[in-house]
């Protein structure tokens, strides 16, 4: 199984999104020596392949020189004249990804990222007027200008769309924007944070979030062949497989770790910069057992135990796992609690279950007869089973 290392070169960001809780103005930037320490730390750390994601803040603030050195340091395969061979890194990389608003992307960086086949995601919250109301005037044009340049350089770009207490009322307009442009997206809900209160007024309540997901799923089931909403792909597969396939719905401890600019290791990128959640430092090359002995690890493992007890009678516990522990900690003043978006998760899983049961009832052999490209003759759309079986 692949595990995930999120590298946070800086918490600083040039944009000023109204609901953002993760950026810190004029924050320090990672030195290349920390990247070297990450590579050395991972030598023998785990047997599984590792996927690297550069996140922030805005990771492109680290600049071209940083990435031109960091990528070959982290890459576990050396290539020459089209032939690739395993290096002596002591681990196998499963690829790279990057989350950026793209404002600082230039042709040199685009060529470099294309060379390393880096998958990039960028945030756009729908049409320009809606997006810029939430993210600031000019955001849309800056991001979309460099999006076009990135595509011209062969980069694969997907979008993250954050729904807020404001934009939820425009979900149809937002959906149609991504559909008409055939932009693959991942959905986020604006939620409170441990670090700042500015997201609070933008945050979605559980019922709002749940109804939004149900409404969007109904629309998506008519358009599976046109674009991807990755959340629904994961939600349907989680229900079908009876286990979470997204970090929100899985026992995520240890499978994702984040490294801050100074080499400090955290359970997740959402904790980066918070001293009380430092598990170790890459310069000390901590083993997995040493990370497990840290106080942040112990605290978050309490979440797993809490869910096993508090959610034991819930129909969705196997593939929800209480949601995100970070969200639960935020909602309970730093103490362990179930994700307050539990209401939303129950609503969408119940809707998926209802749709699946109806399909099974209509045709016991549906899953054997329909292909992933088949359409529902009754409503000229796709079925939940199509979504469950989608590759």
């Amino acid at each position: 199984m692949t595990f995930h290392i999120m590298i946070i070169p800086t918490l600083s960001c040039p944009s000023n999104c109204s609901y953002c809780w993760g950026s810190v103005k004029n924050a320090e930037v990672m030195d290349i020596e920390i990247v070297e320490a990450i590579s050395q730390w991972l030598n023998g750390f785990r047997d599984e392949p590792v996927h690297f994601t550069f996140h922030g803040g805005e990771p492109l603030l680290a600049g071209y020189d940083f990435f031109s050195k960091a990528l070959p340091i982290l890459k576990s395969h050396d290539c020459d004249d089209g032939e690739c061979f395993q290096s002596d890194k002591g681990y196998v990389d499963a690829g790279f990804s990057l989350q950026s608003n793209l404002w600082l992307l230039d042709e040199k960086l685009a060529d470099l990222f294309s060379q390393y086949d880096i998958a990039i995601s960028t945030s756009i919250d729908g049409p320009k007027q809606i997006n810029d109301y939430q993210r600031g005037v000019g955001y849309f044009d800056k991001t979309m200008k460099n999006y076009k340049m990135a595509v011209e350089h062969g980069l694969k770009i997907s979008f993250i769309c954050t729904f807020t207490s404001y934009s939820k009322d425009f979900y149809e307009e937002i959906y149609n924007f991504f559909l008409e442009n055939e932009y693959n997206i991942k959905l986020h809900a604006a939620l409170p944070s441990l670090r700042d209160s500015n997201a609070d007024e933008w945050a979605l309540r559980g019922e709002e979030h749940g109804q939004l997901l149900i409404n969007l799923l109904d629309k998506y089931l008519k358009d599976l062949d046109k674009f991807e909403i990755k959340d629904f792909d994961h939600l349907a597969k989680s229900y079908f497989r009876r286990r979470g396939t997204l970090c929100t719905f899985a026992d995520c401890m240890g499978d994702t770790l984040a490294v801050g600019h100074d080499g400090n290791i955290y359970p997740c990128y959402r904790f980066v910069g918070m001293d009380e959640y430092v598990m170790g430092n890459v310069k000390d090359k901590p083993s997995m057992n040493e990370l497990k002995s840290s106080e942040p690890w112990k605290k978050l493992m309490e979440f797993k135990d809490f869910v096993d007890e508090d959610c034991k009678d819930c129909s969705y516990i196997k593939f929800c796992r209480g949601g995100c522990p970070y969200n639960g900690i935020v909602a309970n003043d730093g103490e362990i609690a179930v994700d307050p978006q539990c209401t939303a998760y129950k609503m969408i899983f119940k809707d998926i279950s209802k749709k699946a049961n109806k399909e099974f009832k209509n045709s016991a052999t549906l899953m054997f007869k329909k292909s992933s490209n088949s359409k529902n003759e009754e409503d000229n759309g796709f079925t939940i089973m199509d979504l469950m079986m989608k590759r």
Side-chain angles (χ1 to χ4, degrees), residues 205-322:
R205 297 192 303 271
E207 297 83 357
E208 295 173 334
H209 187 190
Q211 190 58 55
L212 173 70
L213 291 173
I214 290 170
N215 293 342
L216 290 173
L217 176 59
D218 286 341
K219 297 179 76 66
Y220 184 47
L221 285 174
K222 300 182 187 301
D223 300 311
L224 290 188
D225 55 344
K226 298 181 178 68
F227 75 133
E228 288 185 354
I229 302 181
K230 298 177 183 179
D231 307 71
F232 294 129
D233 297 355
H234 282 291
L235 286 165
K237 286 180 173 62
S238 294
Y239 176 84
F240 182 67
R241 298 175 182 176
R242 290 297 191 266
R243 62 176 178 83
T245 61
L246 190 66
C247 70
T248 303
F249 307 118
D251 292 325
C252 60
M253 280 299 294
D255 289 332
T256 296
L257 297 169
V259 180
H261 82 277
D262 53 2
N264 281 338
I265 303 167
Y266 302 84
C268 168
Y269 81 98
R270 299 179 77 180
F271 293 102
V272 171
M274 301 175 67
D275 292 342
E276 62 269 39
Y277 287 95
V278 174
M279 304 166 67
N281 191 289
V282 294
K283 290 178 282 190
D284 299 323
K285 300 181 183 178
S287 66
M288 180 58 80
N289 285 336
E290 287 173 321
L291 294 182
K292 288 180 178 180
S293 68
S294 68
E295 290 305 313
W297 181 285
K298 293 175 183 177
K299 180 169 184 174
L300 291 179
M301 287 305 291
E302 289 177 20
F303 177 81
K304 179 180 181 297
D305 296 336
F306 182 88
V307 168
D308 286 338
E309 180 60 31
D310 195 68
C311 304
K312 62 184 178 183
D313 296 326
C314 179
S315 302
Y316 313 117
I317 183 174
K318 288 185 178 179
F319 45 92
C320 174
R321 296 302 304 152

Side-chain angles (χ1 to χ4, degrees), residues 235 249 316 319-320 345-353:
L235 286 165
F249 307 118
Y316 313 117
F319 45 92
C320 174
Y345 307 148
K346 285 181 178 178
M347 288 173 68
I348 187 60
F349 280 127
K350 182 177 180 179
D351 188 64
I352 290 171
S353 176

